[in-house]
Amino acid sequence: MTIIELESDAALDVDHVGPVIRAGRLAECVIDAVAADNPDRDVVVVDRDDYVRIHTRGRCRLTRESLERALGEAFQLEALEIEMPSFKGRLRTRTDEFLWYLTTSDGEA
Amino acid sequence: MLLNRDDWYETSRDLDWTFSYVDPNEVFPASWSGAGDVPADAWQDWEEPFRVSYRDYVRIQREKEGGVKAVGNALSRAGVFEKLDPAHLASAHLHLGGTCMVEQMAITMQSRFCRFAPTPKWRNLGVFGMLDETRHAQLDLRFAHELLKVDPRFDWTLKAFHTNEWGIRAVKAFFDDIMLNADCVEAALAVSLTVEHGFTNMQFVALAADAMAAGDINWSNLLSSIQTDEARHAQQGFPTLAVLMEHDPERAQQAIDVAFWRSTRLFQTLTGPAMDYYTPLEQRKMSFKEFMLEWIVNHHERILEDYGLKKPWYWDDFLRSLETAHHSMHLGMWWYRPTLFFKPNAGVSPAEREWLREKYPTWERDFGYIWDQIIANVQAGDVPATLPETLPVLCNVTHLPIGGACAPHELAEHKSEYKGKVYRFDSHISKWCFDVDPERYADHPTVVDRFLAGDIQPMDLPGALAWMGITPDVMGDDVYDYAWAREYVNA
Amino acid sequence: MALFPVTGRYIGDHIPHLVAADTDDTMDELAAMVARHSVGKKVPVPPGGPVYDVYIGGRRIDPGVTLGALGLSPMAWVDVVPRGAEAP
């Protein structure tokens, strides 16, 4: 697992899924949390200054536990929405976990 | 022990009752719900991807509002607006005039979901969608109101949809149809999925990035804050799509193929010029084409495919249109600048032209000679030769000017006859949209149809401008007074 | 003699225009009306001067024929090219 920062999205695979977060501290913490929550996948980050794509291939987990650890404070995942103008993939939201995924990706397993 | 949301969510959301005194079909008429041939119990599988409870909603929206207000207050004190590049301002004028009242129309659409959607889960989410859209319309109005004292064009935030300005009529033609006159299922496919999950990202996230770079922090923040609501409530479309793919996939495919093309044409008009011509060169993050490839091709279309939809049948033509169609639209809009309520930037100074050539390898061949003629006329002091003397011809589906929807050199006649009348289109794709559902478009006259029917008097360009509500204080003109053309003198 | 609007496209311009012609207009007169919105404005003046051919449905129409004699419907698509240029 590696965090890969892309200069452009040229290398972004169509099967990459995950949140798009407005630039700022929360985005940095989401990168760390997604890295911790998806140990078997590379985390691909596309930074467009104003918004940041944080994606993994086929399936991207984000847990409350990891995000709170990265932020160093309590955080309700519902509040992610405040800084999330978009996201890529199907989504499933639960109190302790947001999951972005595709059902037809070879990276989905 | 306190229950967490997952423990009680389904109980609260699924609250419903069984009708015993009235026929359920009278409570939820198919003409409003759009349920069609989908069996009633199929909607039990409807499961929203993005869960929302009222308590969380209020807390989160309050925080969003606080953020927008704080940024706005800080910037108005700093006088940031007065320092913005005048070319960039056209993006904001066009956005507010073109979309504020669409947000208002969306309140009606979401309230239809609240009342008539075929499952209580969806009706529940419609409540939040309705509140979201109320927030968006009000945010736009407040933002514009603050700026009225420095620029009368912000008046068009409220006013535009009460005029007959041609571009606004094109926006209205689309959203009247898919928001105000669509049943819940069709609105979910056309608006929630196609517009909100797809195309609004171009304007509210990608263009917001350009606006941020251009120093318009307040407007950029407003846009992306609005899109945080859109991203959530757009998700109403996916469980609806899942049900349709199970029970009526052809209907889903057709509705989305039509909405995708109509959205493409509209955003080529709204977002294309804003990104590639109005955003100051140094601040452009990417080209319109690059953003379309990121947000529509890579981001949006892949998710639809995951539900089993095919790419629209005209996909290759759509991709080709990304090279040229918005350039043609921009050139037309600039040429017809007296019909706009904002000042467009021509955006073809030598440096800007170099950028266009680099981003679009066929730009020079397709449009360079036209701009060269315009530049020659400006340099000869003949600005009147760069202004229109008649109307363009409008498409009976998109209500946008006919001209180079796929490629400028493929300009050709596309028409259909229906109930004794001839209808004209900007492309074979718009013609297909008409042919599969002619009642939807027939007898909705374009500005040109009105003109020919004698509704616009006197029958000349000044008559048309007056009919469109264009007043001297907002009438469009070249934003830099042709300074870009004079840069070519020694070239 | 009656007002007869057509969709006039001068080859090389990126859009066609609404052209308010008359049933009595000859093809030469119609061509000039179409060209007026494009030539010297969005496309260069052709080397042979302002003389044009009209094509309708891919067929060149004789310059002396009047618009009213063609049996077209209003807003018919009319292509205009410099005289002698190849068909659009």
Side-chain angles (χ1 to χ4, degrees):
Chain A
M1 175 275 296
T2 325
I3 297 175
I4 303 166
E5 292 224 24
L6 295 182
E7 287 297 311
S8 76
D9 69 344
L12 201 62
D13 194 295
V14 289
D15 281 9
H16 278 110
V17 293
V20 177
I21 308 286
R22 297 203 280 189
R25 178 166 175 263
L26 182 65
E28 296 304 316
C29 293
V30 169
I31 293 169
D32 292 341
V34 165
D37 288 332
N38 301 273
D40 55 336
R41 282 150 218 268
D42 291 335
V43 181
V44 172
V45 175
V46 182
D47 184 349
R48 298 235 188 279
D49 296 337
D50 190 39
Y51 65 87
V52 186
R53 287 184 176 275
I54 303 161
H55 294 350
T56 53
R57 195 162 191 281
R59 190 169 180 279
C60 179
R61 277 183 85 213
L62 174 65
T63 65
R64 175 174 168 168
E65 189 185 352
S66 298
L67 187 53
E68 286 185 338
R69 193 178 304 124
L71 283 162
E73 62 190 23
F75 188 85
Q76 286 188 280
L77 283 182
E78 292 81 26
L80 192 63
E81 181 192 316
I82 297 166
E83 298 295 333
M84 182 168 67
S86 194
F87 51 83
K88 186 179 173 207
R90 296 187 187 222
L91 175 63
R92 178 183 185 274
T93 63
R94 293 296 180 268
T95 304
D96 295 318
E97 181 193 84
F98 276 24
L99 177 70
W100 293 270
Y101 64 102
L102 295 168
T103 60
T104 55
S105 168
D106 54 16
E108 179 262 328
Chain B
M1 187 193 125
L2 200 62
L3 292 176
N4 83 28
R5 192 174 75 176
D6 297 342
D7 300 322
W8 53 260
Y9 188 83
E10 286 169 19
T11 310
S12 80
R13 176 199 62 180
D14 298 351
L15 191 64
D16 202 7
W17 60 90
T18 307
F19 296 98
S20 54
Y21 297 104
V22 287
D23 178 353
N25 292 323
E26 286 182 45
V27 186
F28 299 104
S31 56
W32 286 111
S33 74
D37 297 332
V38 177
D41 58 1
W43 297 102
Q44 285 168 13
D45 296 335
W46 201 97
E47 188 69 35
E48 69 269 46
F50 207 137
R51 292 186 156 191
V52 194
S53 71
Y54 189 72
R55 186 192 172 98
D56 289 333
Y57 180 82
V58 171
R59 181 173 65 84
I60 286 165
Q61 297 303 99
R62 183 177 184 278
E63 199 169 324
K64 287 183 188 175
E65 278 301 275
V68 172
K69 188 93 172 82
V71 170
N73 286 349
L75 292 169
S76 75
R77 278 194 302 273
V80 167
F81 179 82
E82 288 78 359
K83 295 171 195 145
L84 295 173
D85 189 303
H88 158 75
L89 285 184
S91 301
H93 293 142
L94 178 54
H95 174 85
L96 290 164
T99 69
C100 177
M101 287 301 127
V102 177
E103 310 275 19
Q104 188 73 26
M105 291 155 86
I107 302 170
T108 304
M109 179 193 73
Q110 295 283 350
S111 63
R112 183 170 306 135
F113 294 160
C114 299
R115 171 60 184 83
F116 291 107
T119 157
K121 304 172 195 175
W122 185 359
R123 295 197 289 273
N124 181 51
L125 286 190
V127 175
F128 304 119
M130 186 175 69
L131 294 170
D132 287 340
E133 301 294 3
T134 306
R135 170 178 179 249
H136 304 169
Q138 294 296 313
L139 271 177
D140 282 353
L141 288 172
R142 191 184 70 194
F143 178 89
H145 182 75
E146 303 263 313
L147 293 170
L148 268 180
K149 55 182 178 285
V150 287
D151 187 344
R153 290 184 171 85
F154 284 105
D155 205 18
W156 277 60
T157 306
L158 185 66
K159 183 179 174 181
F161 270 61
H162 308 287
T163 72
N164 283 314
E165 200 273 342
W166 67 269
I168 297 299
R169 283 179 59 103
V171 179
K172 210 186 314 191
F174 185 40
F175 289 103
D176 271 353
D177 186 7
I178 63 169
M179 278 182 171
L180 298 187
N181 290 296
D183 59 54
C184 293
V185 167
E186 194 200 355
L189 299 171
V191 180
S192 309
L193 282 184
T194 308
V195 176
E196 293 176 339
H197 181 265
F199 287 84
T200 55
N201 283 309
M202 287 296 292
Q203 184 80 5
F204 290 78
V205 186
L207 183 64
D210 273 356
M212 183 63 85
D216 199 348
I217 300 162
N218 199 10
W219 184 50
S220 173
N221 184 51
L222 177 89
L223 291 176
S224 58
S225 181
I226 285 174
Q227 193 67 11
T228 66
D229 295 351
E230 300 281 330
R232 169 173 37 71
H233 73 226
Q235 292 292 314
Q236 294 174 85
F238 286 110
T240 308
L241 176 61
V243 170
L244 267 273
M245 292 311 286
E246 192 68 33
H247 297 279
D248 198 353
E250 292 80 14
R251 180 173 156 208
Q253 185 78 49
Q254 181 176 309
I256 287 180
D257 287 358
V258 169
F260 186 89
W261 179 247
R262 294 175 75 186
S263 299
T264 296
R265 295 296 287 145
L266 207 53
F267 283 79
Q268 282 171 342
T269 311
L270 181 68
T271 322
M275 284 181 170
D276 285 356
Y277 295 91
Y278 304 164
T279 298
L281 181 60
E282 309 74 48
Q283 277 100 39
R284 286 176 204 163
K285 311 296 292 181
M286 295 202 296
S287 68
F288 176 70
K289 180 179 85 179
E290 289 165 334
F291 273 130
M292 285 290 284
L293 292 174
E294 174 184 350
W295 286 99
I296 303 301
V297 175
N298 187 314
H299 184 106
H300 172 66
E301 194 61 25
R302 177 66 182 90
I303 316 307
L304 297 184
E305 283 177 42
D306 205 55
Y307 283 82
L309 275 176
K310 297 192 243 345
K311 286 192 168 77
W313 60 268
Y314 50 80
W315 187 254
D316 292 345
D317 285 325
F318 159 73
L319 290 177
R320 286 195 310 127
S321 85
L322 298 183
E323 295 288 339
T324 60
H326 69 292
H327 299 304
S328 187
M329 194 63 80
H330 164 69
L331 172 55
M333 286 165 72
W334 183 86
W335 185 265
Y336 280 92
R337 55 203 182 280
T339 70
L340 307 177
F341 55 94
F342 54 88
K343 286 185 160 189
N345 180 24
V348 288
S349 67
E352 289 164 322
R353 196 159 165 169
E354 186 57 42
W355 181 87
L356 287 164
R357 275 197 290 259
E358 182 198 319
K359 295 292 184 184
Y360 301 92
T362 63
W363 187 92
E364 192 63 47
R365 182 198 71 195
D366 292 339
F367 302 101
Y369 65 95
I370 298 181
W371 284 106
D372 282 341
Q373 184 65 50
I374 291 170
I375 290 162
N377 288 338
V378 170
Q379 289 182 355
D382 191 3
V383 168
T386 71
L387 285 161
E389 290 186 304
T390 184
L391 301 175
V393 182
L394 302 181
C395 170
N396 280 112
V397 166
T398 63
H399 288 237
L400 293 168
I402 289 174
C406 295
H409 303 295
E410 293 169 20
L411 193 54
E413 182 173 35
H414 301 283
K415 63 179 179 181
S416 292
E417 198 173 317
Y418 181 69
K419 291 186 176 171
K421 279 192 198 171
V422 176
Y423 295 90
R424 296 176 184 280
F425 313 107
D426 58 17
S427 57
H428 62 298
I429 308 169
S430 292
K431 173 178 157 56
W432 170 81
C433 296
F434 182 92
D435 289 344
V436 296
D437 194 4
E439 274 302 315
R440 186 183 287 270
Y441 310 97
D443 297 321
H444 285 279
T446 65
V447 173
V448 170
D449 294 332
R450 293 255 186 199
F451 185 83
L452 294 172
D455 296 347
I456 300 171
Q457 296 292 339
M459 283 185 80
D460 53 21
L461 200 62
L465 291 175
W467 185 80
M468 285 192 261
I470 300 290
T471 48
D473 57 333
V474 301
M475 184 181 289
D477 197 357
D478 185 84
V479 70
Y480 290 131
D481 197 23
Y482 313 100
W484 53 273
R486 290 188 283 272
E487 286 182 41
Y488 285 89
V489 169
N490 299 316
Chain C
M1 181 178 135
L3 185 68
F4 196 90
V6 300
T7 303
R9 189 267 293 254
Y10 188 84
I11 299 297
D13 201 339
H14 72 125
I15 56 168
H17 295 100
L18 167 66
V19 175
D22 189 283
T23 48
D24 284 350
D25 287 330
T26 64
M27 289 303 110
D28 271 350
E29 288 165 333
L30 175 64
M33 292 171 80
V34 172
R36 171 191 168 86
H37 300 295
S38 304
V39 173
K41 292 182 172 177
K42 290 186 271 185
V43 295
V45 180
V51 193
Y52 309 103
D53 285 332
V54 172
Y55 282 80
I56 298 174
R59 193 168 61 89
R60 182 178 172 274
I61 311 295
D62 193 80
V65 172
T66 62
L67 186 54
L70 294 171
L72 302 172
S73 51
M75 295 304 286
W77 184 285
V78 169
D79 282 323
V80 174
V81 298
R83 174 139 306 159
E86 61 181 271

